[in-house]
Amino acid sequence: MTIFWHILWNNVLPLSVMIAIGIILQRAFSLDIKTLSKLNFYLFSPAFIFILLYTTEISLLLIGQVMLFFVLFMVLQYGAVEVIIRIRGYRGGMRAAMRNSVLFYNSANYGIPINELAFAGNPYTLSVQILIMMMQSLIPNTYGVYSVNAHRSDWRTIRRIILMMPIIYIIPLAFMMRGFQVPIPGFIDTPLGYLADAFIGTALITLGVQLGSMKWRISRALLYDVGLSCALRLIAGPALAWVVVKLLNLPDIMAVALIVSSAVPTSLSSVLLAVEFDNEQEFSSQSVFMSTLLSVFTVTFVIYLLRI
């Protein structure tokens, strides 16, 4: 149990402190969550992803292995959540909200810090996490936008919204500039660095602000659904990741990094999509709140199991 408490104290609680600061700020000053989310969405997150993809040494073999894992993992997750959707008989926007709460996980503002803490800043495991974060940034901005609008908007409108998302341009641009060894001009590199450095702290504060603006209770009508979402995300997620890494026989350190990356709570993206497009906001917010709260213990336990 000494290892368990060490992980909780040194790996998970530091993130909780940052989130708590956001909650306190929200309670004290009623911050504008939409402004913060837009700063993260259109500035800090794209800059952070660009810098990491541009500067991190990532081999084609690593990209191929992580992408294969990610595809298989997402297929299994989608299958699991689809079973629950059919059993519960969800309709319209609730189907999209449940899928998003499970498929979109917090690989950036929770996953990156937990990776750096759990693996002591190991460049290899950070590369693995960056690739997962890249895909988890891309999917909510494409499939996620489509899923919350598909039942009420035409494809032309949805396509226009997707094409406005900066992340779909940032990722190929970073790979192309790195591949062709195109230097970043100094007058761009410096502000880009400022924006990237602001990402983790601002993202954790934003998550805290969002949690601080919620009702700190689960409505009885949504209790069962939120519980199912948390179970699929926090328990089935790492369990399915373990199945995939065993199936693919991935190297040990990569396998451990991928399982840890899959154990994190529901992404704030699911809430941002719900708020932006007015789709099951209460369920989405409560899913993020409960999964983030429970992840303090579940993520600690997953890391503990992997270490022993």
Side-chain angles (χ1 to χ4, degrees), residues 73-286:
F73 176 59
M74 291 298 283
V75 167
L76 290 178
Q77 275 202 129
Y78 188 90
V81 73
E82 201 61 27
V83 169
I84 297 300
I85 286 172
R86 298 296 175 85
I87 291 174
R88 295 286 291 163
Y90 296 136
R91 292 289 182 270
M94 187 60 190
R95 295 167 67 96
M98 177 58 80
R99 289 191 192 108
N100 292 352
S101 72
V102 177
L103 298 178
F104 303 159
Y105 48 95
N106 210 333
S107 58
N109 57 358
Y110 196 112
I112 290 288
I114 202 69
N115 182 281
E116 292 188 330
L117 289 168
F119 300 103
N122 185 311
Y124 181 80
T125 58
L126 182 59
S127 299
V128 171
Q129 185 63 35
I130 288 168
L131 291 171
I132 294 295
M133 182 189 72
M134 177 187 75
M135 296 306 297
Q136 275 292 328
S137 299
L138 186 61
I139 291 178
N141 288 278
T142 51
Y143 168 76
V145 173
Y146 169 78
S147 69
V148 297
N149 287 285
H151 64 288
R152 60 187 174 188
S153 298
D154 59 75
W155 168 240
R156 182 176 297 178
T157 303
I158 297 171
R159 184 180 60 188
R160 186 172 63 250
I161 295 170
I162 291 173
L163 291 175
M164 291 173 61
M165 302 299 164
I167 202 69
I168 66 174
Y169 307 107
I170 289 295
I171 290 172
L173 178 63
F175 276 121
M176 286 176 61
M177 289 184 66
R178 179 177 177 81
F180 291 105
Q181 298 182 334
V182 178
I184 304 174
F187 70 94
I188 294 178
D189 188 39
T190 300
L192 199 60
Y194 291 155
L195 292 172
D197 290 341
F199 169 67
I200 291 179
T202 308
L204 287 171
I205 294 294
T206 302
L207 179 56
V209 169
Q210 178 61 46
L211 295 177
S213 65
M214 297 176 190
K215 297 176 182 178
W216 284 30
R217 63 179 180 81
I218 302 297
S219 65
R220 187 166 297 178
L222 292 175
L223 180 61
Y224 191 67
D225 297 323
V226 170
L228 286 173
S229 169
C230 291
L232 287 169
R233 175 83 297 280
L234 299 173
I235 300 173
L240 291 174
W242 181 83
V243 170
V244 176
V245 298
K246 290 298 181 184
L247 180 67
L248 298 177
N249 194 28
L250 296 175
D252 288 347
I253 186 66
M254 179 190 292
V256 171
L258 288 169
I259 294 171
V260 171
S261 78
S262 72
V264 297
T266 300
S267 172
L268 187 62
S269 298
S270 62
V271 174
L272 299 180
L273 286 168
V275 171
E276 190 73 22
F277 301 106
D278 192 24
N279 184 77
E280 299 291 344
Q281 294 182 38
E282 186 177 3
F283 167 79
S284 299
S285 297
Q286 291 182 3

